[in-house]
Amino acid sequence: MNTGGRLIAGSHNRNEFVLINADESARIRSVQELRGQTCEICRDEIELSVDGEPFVACNECAFPVCRPCYEYERREGNQACPQCKTRYKRIKGSPRVENDEEEDDVDDIDNEFEYGNNGGMGFDQVSEGVSVSRRHSGLDLDSAPPGSQIPLLTYGDEDVEISSDRHALIVPPSLSGHGSKVHPVSLSDPSIAAHPRPMVPQKDLAVYGYGSVAWKDRMEEWKRKQNEKLQVVKHEGDPDFEDGDDIPMMDEGRQPLSRKIPIKSSKINPYRMLIVLRLVILSLFFHYRILHPVKDAYALWLTSVICEIWFAVSWVLDQFPKWYPIERETYLDRLSLRYEKEGKPSELSPVDVFVSTVDPLKEPPLITANTVLSILAVDYPVDKVACYVSDDGAAMLTFEALSETAEFARKWVPFCKKYLIEPRAPEWYFCHKMDYLKNKVHPAFVRERRAMKRDYEEFKVKINALVATAQKVPEEGWTMQDGTPWPGNSTRDHPGMIQVFLGSDGVRDVENNELPRLVYVSREKRPGFDHHKKAGAMNSLIRVSGVLSNAPYLLNVDCDHYINNSKALREAMCFMMDPQSGKKICYVQFPQRFDGIDRHDRYSNRNVVFFDINMKGLDGLQGPIYVGTGCVFRRQALYGFDAPKKKKAPRKTCNCWPKWCFLCCGSRKNRKAKTLAAADKKKKNREASKQIHALENIEEGSVTKGSNVEQSSEAMQLKLEKKFGQSPVFVASARMQNGGMARNASPACLLKEAIQVISCGYEDKTEWGKEIGWIYGSVTEDILTGFKMHSHGWRSVYCTPKLPAFKGSAPINLSDRLHQVLRWALGSVEIFLSRHCPIWYGYGGGLKWLERLSYINSVVYPWTSLPLIVYCSLPAICLLTGKFIVPEISNYASILFMALFSSIAVTGILEMQWGKVGIDDWWRNEQFWVIGGVSAHLFALFQGLLKVLAGVDTNFTVTSKAADDGEFSDLYLFKWTSLLIPPTTLLIINVIGIVVGISDAISNGYDSWGPLFGRLFFALWVVIHLYPFLKGLLGKQDRMPTIIVVWSILLASILTLLWVRVNPFVAKGGPILEICGLDCL
């Protein structure tokens, strides 16, 4: 480096140099020509070292960071590289910080403890400390008189006449007339007088830690930029940090938006050990059962063993997917800090919300209106939300009700956002018994709430008037306001209809704020087309939304499931928009919670065991299954694309062995690897020719050379149209991975295109319902759709916020509940008999084997109804015939039976513990498993076999018989249906068996009571499990509890038989006959 006769001062380790110009007017400047790269943190150029190379902070990835930012990050930041997250190592010249490794080969004692000496002060404080230490030591450069003897720096020679304690670091400008006044960085404690060191020619000036005003200004500018760019968040929930620790968001990627919370080892480890122990007990149990047949009741014994083996297999399918249960926690504050910066537009991703309804007379419009209002008032940027309502019945009642809902939303939405109302469905907000003044401080809240309640009551009256009007349809059909006939007068033959109520026509709320988009959609229906029920309606909404808004994420809710937590979308975005793990998530499933269910939940409508135990277990594998509502999807996953695959790092090889050592063992591995690679390549080529799974494959196929570019582009377009349909607008939107709309597209053109994509013939010869969207072939399209996405390598997430995200209504009377279970079981049977059955479909994809077990269990469980109904009949048969399925029980057998029943009970207790489920919910679930198994599952099995194999579609009618008024009146509503026959029969024969068994024991004496206890135990097991069903049959008993009625009948029957047996009016030796002396002839 050409110094031009000027003095060089600076630090080799800090890459800082200062030239003191001896010729020009005194000035100190940094060497601009030595700077090269730009620091990624402060945007200043990175200075060079004395070797002429740029300063490198991280030896792993060489992420460009300047020396000051490196020092600041080690002292006050995360002490790690922002890019590769590798901990910074101490470089020579840098002070040591906590957790630095010992470096025996580095001799840098002068700088090793620099931070410790200045007490951990900032750089500005250090500069101030220098002045203080100078004054304390009598070495104040600012106030030094011109005549005082101050040592000068030379060009490398030391003035021997100056003592070692008089050496200085920088030439005072007032004495030399060259250079500028500069405060050097102190190397000692400010409270102690500075002790200058002797300077010898062999020492590098870098060890003295030179500073300058330019450095101080640079640090102040850098801090100012960091305060604008970075924000500090309060860390919550991480045990590695103490309360009160503030973590600077130096690297946003290091602050995840969510985290997994594994179940405590004290709860999960005993649970896993008990599962293994239960397997051992089951093995010993079946060993005993098979080797000890009952010869005098061989048929009963064989039947019971077959049923028990099936129950064991069913238990394995249900149990092992719960091996890795987890919980999750989200950080909404981090989501806002990252994507909603003050003064800038929100960067949260748009979301399209789908609401589906069919018959407004069965699904009340007021319920649908509340769901829509809760969506429009959600806590999310209004320009990022679009609500699409699918009316698959083309009912004018739904259309008019939605129009009234859009008008009322202009008042309701600003009221909710102004006062942070929860929940934001007005029906449930006004009817819930709660302290609505809690946390409300605005003086006008009470007045505006009363006005809003009055407005909502008027809104309800309008909706009720529409419902009353719709009860009687005119012969000529309904007409619109302009006199034209309503297009949906024929529900099976009508054109497609789309109406945008809010969001694009300038309609704003009462406070002149923008409202989310609200769109009414009714797809075209024509005779002779298979419309695929709900799955077809949802696919129509996907295409319409892809044309009109094309948000990258979709939320699917039923019309009776309103948003109970206004931050539900943000909860989902904490997973979907996480830069580290969000790209592989296909959907976020929320649990279903319900209103209007009685406290005892007689028929297990809440389904707590499934949502709080089974789903948490699946979340630890590849994710929960899709349950049909309350789910946020990634649009690209619904389009059938494969999940992004993580590139594997190259294997580390050892160079310590000679190459000839690997010739023998390595050749076999290489051949195997080449074979697998060739097989994978053939498979990928075969799949690529069959369907297009990834956008990258599509785009790569279009890249050709020369004159073939145009032909390749046309071929790619044909492939896309064959997959997605004949709509260029929709095909273009499907290729946008992050969503968005095409530029310069007029609303009229988009609306015309949207009408086209909901036409009847649009899906013909495409992959809709096969590989794209909601999958056809089952009434439970939710299981099939989630299974297809998991087979493509995606994973799902189960989100359980403290405040339930969604709430809905459930059928609480017995008949409606059984028909709901019948529909679910029928869909599982259809999947089992289809090509998409998880037993044989989806191998070679990304589906994990424990996740596959859960899907197999979800389609196999209806078949359990056959062994279950047989097993529930065995106790009655044994009591009536005097036989039993188990031979005379030995001590070993008694221990096995006790161990088996104990393991079942303890397993349930441990599941309740880590799943946070109450014993009442667990027991109701066990009871309804039996009730549904012997009724709805059995009918679903036969109905599914007839539908799939014979093409016969059967339906079961429900007849309402009686009803009561009052709260939970539907609970006591009795509706006769054929589903009630099997459990009623089982209940009657088991009660008769108990009566006959007890009577027989009374007749045969004391010795017959021992064998009777085993038979009575199984019979009572059946009766106790069917007890809620019996309560449903008897209905509401105002005067006498049901249990008293049941046991009264049972005891009366026993006492009657006992009376007949004892007969106190008849002598034990028989009747005494005497001649009365009367002639009766």
Side-chain angles (χ1 to χ4, degrees):
M1 181 179 69
N2 183 15
T3 63
R6 292 170 292 179
L7 177 65
I8 303 176
S11 170
H12 164 68
N13 293 294
R14 291 187 179 180
N15 289 332
E16 297 169 3
F17 294 89
V18 176
L19 297 184
I20 301 179
N21 195 336
D23 301 326
E24 303 176 7
S25 177
R27 62 186 181 94
I28 298 177
R29 64 181 183 89
S30 58
V31 186
Q32 300 290 341
E33 60 266 23
L34 295 183
R35 297 180 179 179
Q37 290 180 297
T38 302
C39 175
E40 293 294 333
I41 296 180
C42 65
R43 297 301 177 185
D44 288 341
E45 293 184 358
I46 298 179
E47 301 172 358
L48 305 180
S49 64
V50 292
D51 298 331
E53 297 180 357
F55 170 75
V56 179
C58 177
N59 294 326
E60 298 293 332
C61 66
F63 186 68
V65 176
C66 65
R67 183 60 177 260
C69 294
Y70 161 79
E71 298 283 6
Y72 186 84
E73 180 70 16
R74 277 177 43 84
R75 184 183 59 156
E76 299 184 7
N78 296 324
Q79 302 179 359
C81 174
Q83 176 169 281
C84 66
K85 312 300 184 294
T86 304
R87 179 182 172 82
Y88 279 139
K89 294 182 179 180
R90 192 180 75 86
I91 301 176
K92 184 176 181 181
S94 300
R96 180 177 295 278
V97 298
E98 188 178 357
N99 299 326
D100 271 347
E101 297 179 358
E102 294 294 334
E103 301 172 344
D104 298 333
D105 57 339
V106 178
D107 186 12
D108 193 25
I109 192 66
D110 297 330
N111 297 280
E112 189 170 354
F113 303 102
E114 181 178 356
Y115 285 160
N117 293 338
N118 60 41
M121 294 186 296
F123 288 96
D124 297 338
Q125 294 172 313
V126 170
S127 299
E128 295 175 4
V130 171
S131 301
V132 175
S133 62
R134 298 292 186 194
R135 294 187 182 97
H136 288 178
S137 60
L139 199 63
D140 191 353
L141 299 180
D142 297 342
S143 58
S148 60
Q149 185 178 3
I150 302 296
L152 303 181
L153 293 175
T154 64
Y155 287 99
D157 298 331
E158 180 182 1
D159 192 348
V160 295
E161 297 181 357
I162 304 176
S163 61
S164 60
D165 60 344
R166 298 297 305 277
H167 283 281
L169 299 180
I170 295 180
V171 180
S174 58
L175 296 179
S176 65
H178 306 289
S180 301
K181 180 174 65 176
V182 177
H183 293 290
V185 176
S186 173
L187 299 176
S188 60
D189 194 334
S191 62
I192 305 175
H195 184 71
R197 311 181 181 189
M199 187 176 353
V200 295
Q202 293 80 10
K203 280 190 178 182
D204 185 5
L205 292 176
V207 301
Y208 295 111
Y210 280 83
S212 66
V213 176
W215 158 247
K216 180 178 179 180
D217 293 341
R218 180 181 175 184
M219 278 304 301
E220 290 178 352
E221 178 66 16
W222 181 79
K223 287 182 178 180
R224 185 184 64 80
K225 291 181 179 179
Q226 293 296 348
N227 290 334
E228 294 177 357
K229 179 180 178 181
L230 306 176
Q231 304 183 49
V232 178
V233 297
K234 185 76 175 180
H235 190 87
E236 299 177 359
D238 196 334
D240 297 335
F241 296 90
E242 298 179 357
D243 294 339
D245 290 344
D246 288 340
I247 305 174
M249 289 283 292
M250 298 293 295
D251 179 16
E252 292 184 351
R254 294 197 55 178
Q255 300 295 333
L257 301 179
S258 64
R259 72 182 181 108
K260 296 180 182 179
I261 304 178
I263 305 298
K264 293 182 179 179
S265 58
S266 60
K267 295 181 179 180
I268 196 61
N269 287 339
Y271 176 70
R272 291 171 177 167
M273 290 188 291
L274 189 62
I275 292 175
V276 176
L277 179 62
R278 187 170 170 181
L279 278 176
V280 175
I281 295 173
L282 274 176
S283 302
L284 298 175
F285 172 79
F286 285 118
H287 179 268
Y288 170 81
R289 291 283 281 137
I290 294 173
L291 296 182
H292 294 79
V294 181
K295 297 181 179 180
D296 58 342
Y298 190 83
L300 292 177
W301 168 82
L302 182 61
T303 303
S304 65
V305 170
I306 294 174
C307 294
E308 289 163 359
I309 292 175
W310 180 265
F311 294 151
V313 173
S314 178
W315 172 77
V316 170
L317 294 176
D318 178 70
Q319 191 68 64
F320 278 91
K322 296 183 285 190
W323 189 265
Y324 299 103
I326 62 170
E327 294 178 342
R328 295 183 185 271
E329 186 179 41
T330 56
Y331 301 104
L332 299 180
D333 52 351
R334 296 179 184 176
L335 181 74
S336 298
L337 288 174
R338 184 170 301 173
Y339 297 109
E340 292 183 302
K341 297 179 180 178
E342 187 176 358
K344 297 181 180 180
S346 174
E347 298 178 4
L348 291 174
S349 293
V351 181
D352 291 339
V353 186
F354 296 166
V355 182
S356 58
T357 182
V358 181
D359 188 353
L361 299 180
K362 293 181 179 180
E363 299 166 335
L366 185 63
I367 301 298
T368 305
N370 274 269
T371 301
V372 172
L373 289 171
S374 68
I375 295 170
L376 298 178
V378 72
D379 184 8
Y380 209 75
V382 292
D383 58 325
K384 307 285 186 177
V385 178
C387 178
Y388 294 83
V389 180
S390 171
D391 178 18
D392 219 29
M396 191 173 184
L397 173 58
T398 303
F399 181 86
E400 293 292 345
L402 205 59
S403 176
E404 295 290 342
T405 303
E407 183 64 26
F408 179 72
R410 298 179 62 245
K411 303 176 183 178
W412 175 252
V413 172
F415 172 75
C416 292
K417 294 188 175 182
K418 181 178 180 180
Y419 297 110
L420 305 179
I421 300 301
E422 294 288 354
R424 299 190 177 180
E427 180 69 22
W428 300 105
Y429 171 70
F430 289 120
C431 74
H432 278 180
K433 296 179 181 178
M434 59 181 179
D435 182 13
Y436 63 87
L437 296 178
K438 186 178 181 181
N439 300 327
K440 298 296 185 296
V441 296
H442 201 286
F445 170 69
V446 175
R447 182 178 66 256
E448 293 190 20
R449 184 182 184 275
R450 290 174 182 171
M452 184 56 59
K453 186 175 183 181
R454 183 173 61 254
D455 292 339
Y456 176 65
E457 290 173 351
E458 294 176 357
F459 169 73
K460 287 178 64 176
V461 170
K462 293 179 181 179
I463 298 297
N464 293 335
L466 291 174
V467 174
T469 304
Q471 297 295 327
K472 187 177 180 180
V473 181
E475 295 181 0
E476 66 278 6
W478 300 106
T479 57
M480 302 286 288
Q481 295 292 334
D482 56 359
T484 58
W486 169 247
N489 280 326
S490 176
T491 58
R492 298 179 181 271
D493 186 5
H494 63 84
M497 294 178 285
I498 298 177
Q499 182 71 24
V500 181
F501 287 106
L502 298 175
S504 63
D505 56 355
V507 178
R508 294 177 174 264
D509 61 23
V510 293
E511 297 182 359
N512 200 30
N513 296 320
E514 187 180 356
L515 288 169
R517 179 176 296 185
L518 176 61
V519 183
Y520 169 87
V521 179
S522 181
R523 57 178 174 150
E524 181 186 16
K525 286 190 176 182
R526 300 298 180 191
F529 288 90
D530 188 358
H531 302 290
H532 303 289
K533 299 181 180 180
K534 181 182 177 181
M538 300 307 297
N539 285 338
S540 296
L541 288 183
I542 294 179
R543 296 192 293 270
V544 170
S545 64
V547 172
L548 297 182
S549 54
N550 196 32
Y553 303 106
L554 313 172
L555 168 62
N556 154 234
V557 294
D558 289 339
C559 64
D560 60 344
H561 273 70
Y562 64 91
I563 297 181
N564 183 67
N565 184 350
S566 62
K567 298 184 182 297
L569 293 182
R570 295 177 180 270
E571 295 278 355
M573 291 302 108
C574 285
F575 299 104
M576 289 294 195
M577 299 185 68
D578 193 296
Q580 297 178 358
S581 61
K583 294 182 179 180
K584 292 198 67 175
I585 297 175
C586 58
Y587 61 83
V588 177
Q589 178 65 62
F590 292 88
Q592 292 185 20
R593 306 301 185 195
F594 301 98
D595 287 316
I597 299 178
D598 64 305
R599 181 170 56 90
H600 299 289
D601 192 14
R602 181 186 296 177
Y603 307 121
S604 188
N605 279 285
R606 293 191 179 94
N607 218 351
V608 177
V609 173
F610 173 76
F611 286 111
D612 290 350
I613 294 179
N614 295 66
M615 296 288 269
K616 289 180 180 178
L618 294 176
D619 198 17
L621 303 177
Q622 199 173 343
I625 63 176
Y626 168 44
V627 297
T629 183
C631 187
V632 177
F633 289 95
R634 184 182 300 275
R635 186 182 287 268
Q636 293 295 309
L638 280 172
Y639 284 167
F641 297 132
D642 287 332
K645 295 182 180 179
K646 186 177 181 180
K647 295 182 180 180
K648 295 183 179 180
R651 294 183 179 180
K652 296 182 179 180
T653 57
C654 180
N655 298 325
C656 56
W657 292 92
K659 293 183 179 180
W660 58 266
C661 295
F662 298 97
L663 293 178
C664 297
C665 60
S667 60
R668 183 178 302 175
K669 293 182 179 179
N670 291 335
R671 287 197 301 269
K672 184 176 181 181
K674 290 180 180 179
T675 304
L676 292 175
D680 290 341
K681 186 175 181 180
K682 290 181 180 179
K683 183 178 179 181
K684 288 181 179 179
N685 293 336
R686 187 166 59 249
E687 290 292 333
S689 63
K690 197 172 183 180
Q691 60 180 356
I692 305 172
H693 287 304
L695 287 173
E696 292 79 7
N697 295 338
I698 297 174
E699 293 172 357
E700 288 174 4
S702 65
V703 179
T704 57
K705 295 182 180 179
S707 61
N708 295 329
V709 174
E710 185 177 352
Q711 296 178 359
S712 177
S713 178
E714 293 178 356
M716 181 191 66
Q717 185 69 17
L718 290 176
K719 284 184 179 180
L720 290 172
E721 291 180 355
K722 186 177 180 180
K723 179 180 181 180
F724 293 107
Q726 303 292 325
S727 173
V729 176
F730 179 75
V731 170
S733 68
R735 299 183 60 183
M736 299 178 183
Q737 187 174 1
N738 297 322
M741 298 300 300
R743 297 179 180 178
N744 302 325
S746 64
C749 295
L750 294 178
L751 191 61
K752 183 179 180 180
E753 199 71 23
I755 291 293
Q756 177 190 351
V757 298
I758 61 174
S759 60
C760 290
Y762 184 82
E763 295 183 355
D764 292 346
K765 298 181 181 180
T766 65
E767 295 184 4
W768 285 101
K770 302 172 185 176
E771 300 293 338
I772 306 175
W774 272 258
I775 307 301
Y776 302 151
S778 172
V779 295
T780 52
E781 69 287 333
D782 45 7
I783 296 178
L784 205 51
T785 303
F787 173 64
K788 291 284 289 187
M789 284 188 279
H790 282 143
S791 298
H792 281 290
W794 296 94
R795 71 152 295 128
S796 55
V797 167
Y798 192 53
C799 181
T800 56
K802 294 181 179 179
L803 180 64
F806 304 92
K807 279 191 176 183
S809 57
I812 62 175
N813 67 73
L814 179 60
S815 300
D816 291 343
R817 173 67 166 144
L818 289 178
H819 274 267
Q820 183 187 55
V821 176
L822 170 67
R823 181 181 174 275
W824 296 342
L826 176 60
S828 296
V829 175
E830 290 175 341
I831 297 174
F832 181 84
L833 299 175
S834 70
R835 71 181 186 91
H836 291 112
C837 180
I839 298 177
W840 50 72
Y841 180 85
Y843 289 95
L847 190 65
K848 297 182 179 179
W849 69 275
L850 281 178
E851 189 79 11
R852 182 178 295 276
L853 283 184
S854 70
Y855 276 109
I856 293 175
N857 183 52
S858 66
V859 300
V860 166
Y861 77 91
W863 295 86
T864 308
S865 60
L866 293 176
L868 182 60
I869 198 168
V870 172
Y871 206 74
C872 289
S873 303
L874 289 178
I877 297 174
C878 293
L879 287 169
L880 293 174
T881 60
K883 307 295 183 180
F884 198 42
I885 58 177
V886 180
E888 185 177 352
I889 299 178
S890 61
N891 292 334
Y892 174 73
S894 301
I895 294 174
L896 278 181
F897 279 100
M898 292 177 62
L900 180 61
F901 289 123
S902 299
S903 64
I904 293 174
V906 177
T907 302
I909 292 173
L910 293 178
E911 282 184 352
M912 288 186 285
Q913 188 178 19
W914 63 256
K916 301 175 184 178
V917 175
I919 189 171
D920 291 340
D921 294 318
W922 181 84
W923 176 239
R924 294 301 185 200
N925 182 79
E926 293 294 315
Q927 287 180 315
F928 198 79
W929 177 77
V930 176
I931 295 172
V934 300
S935 58
H937 297 173
L938 181 66
F939 278 83
L941 184 60
F942 289 109
Q943 187 178 359
L945 290 173
L946 290 174
K947 183 177 180 180
V948 175
L949 301 181
V952 179
D953 194 0
T954 58
N955 293 315
F956 299 95
T957 59
V958 180
T959 305
S960 179
K961 296 298 182 183
D964 294 316
D965 295 330
E967 189 178 7
F968 307 121
S969 59
D970 287 344
L971 177 65
Y972 311 108
L973 184 65
F974 180 76
K975 300 179 181 179
W976 172 254
T977 172
S978 52
L979 297 178
L980 303 178
I981 296 176
T984 305
T985 305
L986 286 176
L987 193 60
I988 292 174
I989 64 173
N990 276 279
V991 171
I992 294 175
I994 292 173
V995 174
V996 172
I998 294 176
S999 302
D1000 185 68
I1002 294 174
S1003 301
N1004 295 330
Y1006 177 78
D1007 295 337
S1008 62
W1009 284 98
L1012 178 64
F1013 283 134
R1015 304 184 187 101
L1016 284 177
F1017 174 80
F1018 287 104
L1020 289 174
W1021 180 89
V1022 175
V1023 173
I1024 291 174
H1025 278 75
L1026 293 176
Y1027 174 68
F1029 173 80
L1030 183 61
K1031 291 190 70 174
L1033 285 180
L1034 296 177
K1036 186 176 182 180
Q1037 301 291 331
D1038 293 329
R1039 297 182 179 179
M1040 188 176 298
T1042 306
I1043 189 65
I1044 296 178
V1045 175
V1046 174
W1047 288 108
S1048 297
I1049 296 173
L1050 183 62
L1051 292 176
S1053 303
I1054 295 174
L1055 292 176
T1056 301
L1057 294 172
L1058 182 62
W1059 180 273
V1060 173
R1061 175 61 184 170
V1062 175
N1063 196 358
F1065 297 101
V1066 179
K1068 294 184 178 181
I1072 301 174
L1073 302 177
E1074 297 181 355
I1075 300 174
C1076 62
L1078 298 176
D1079 189 2
C1080 298
L1081 297 176

